[in-house]
Amino acid sequence: VAAAAKTRTRRPSSSGTDVEFADRLTLLNELVSYKVDDLLDRLGVRLRRQGKKLAGACPVHGGGRQDAFNLYPEGHTMPGVWVCRSRGCHKVFKQTLVGFTRGVLSQQEGWEPGGKKPPVPMSKAIAFVCEVVGQKWDAIKADAAAAERKRFVSEVTTYRGYVPQVKEGWDVRDVRKRLECPSPYFLGRGFSAEILDRFSVGDALIGDSQSPMYRRAVVPVFDKQGRVVGTTGRSLLPPCSSCGRHHDPADGCPAEECRRLPQFAKWRNTPGFAKEHHLFNFWGARPAIQKRGKVALVEGPPDVLKLVQAGCENAVALFGVDLNDPQLVLLEMSGAMEVVLLLDPDKGGDAGTETVAETLRRSGFRVSIPRFDEEPGDMSDERVRQDILPLLGG
Ligand SMILES: [Zn+2]
Ligand SMILES: [Zn+2]
């Protein structure tokens, strides 16, 4: 370590080279994500594997609650993300493996949360990690990362079911060409043109009745890069007073065996969109979640839109009342310590609340369940600001 500590960590202030620094750091974080066991060994940190994550007492602030600390070594979305749900150490150091290393090294040198001693310099963590991956900071190679990635992907078969399919998303501008944006339907429900435009929500301009978004108000779902990975659409038709499904009244009720077909559903997704792997507004909400340590978990996109419109940026939706495993992993990686559960006040929402709350508590989250007589999407901005905003950290 002593030898490695001499490794220079150039960080000149002239323009251009800072980008280089950030690129190197990204590469270093990726490289070490393939050697997490080595890293933990050298840091003297012991964690237990729990499915996709490593869990234990937080090695950054030094102990305390078991299971309050989670680290996600694999995953293409954010390998090396970690969270300390007892003291929020991930807010002090970056949620990367280098940031984690810096935290542990700092702890070993007497740093503590809120204490007087400063953390060890970034250069020390970088030098430590460079030694683990056997690379020189000044000569980190992208092709080394590519080679490791390839080997890693071929080895990791266990996680196939969990890692989202790597799929090229759509450009939002192309999606919007097929929409009347902002959506007249949602404008009519009290959503502002501003919020609908920001989320690119529009009514489908599609004449083909076979298209899944035909006669629907379309809500795009974005990935980390702002590409559209899929869309979900709310039927523009009201529910039928006799069968409850959303069909053209002129057509008469669908036959019994056809009733469950997705074209008659209130909400329908584009084919290939695996909603189990996504939370609506996850990437948009993430900075606010990290800042506040809290997240509102709601059923559908309109609930999120209403919360964001009223000033609650840290809100995500499940696309229903089930919390699927990959969605739980996203929540765990989000940096949230507390989940404010706001499913709809109806039979489905109540049942969902019970099971979702139990799953979240088992994973170490604090869960609060405020009760309201209307779903967030139907609330006035005023009510959201008064009753919900304070629960989400202002
Ligand atoms: Zn901690
Ligand atoms: Zn009907």
Side-chain angles (χ1 to χ4, degrees), residues 240 242-243 247 253:
C240 167
S242 120
C243 73
H247 63 82
C253 293

Side-chain angles (χ1 to χ4, degrees), residues 58 60-61 84 87 89:
C58 174
V60 176
H61 74 265
C84 161
R87 298 291 292 270
C89 295

Side-chain angles (χ1 to χ4, degrees), residues 146-167:
E148 290 285 354
R149 190 185 308 141
K150 214 169 150 198
R151 204 174 65 204
F152 176 78
V153 169
S154 63
E155 278 171 8
V156 179
T157 47
T158 336
Y159 303 101
R160 269 292 136 73
Y162 146 70
V163 175
Q165 296 293 307
V166 181
K167 189 187 97 189

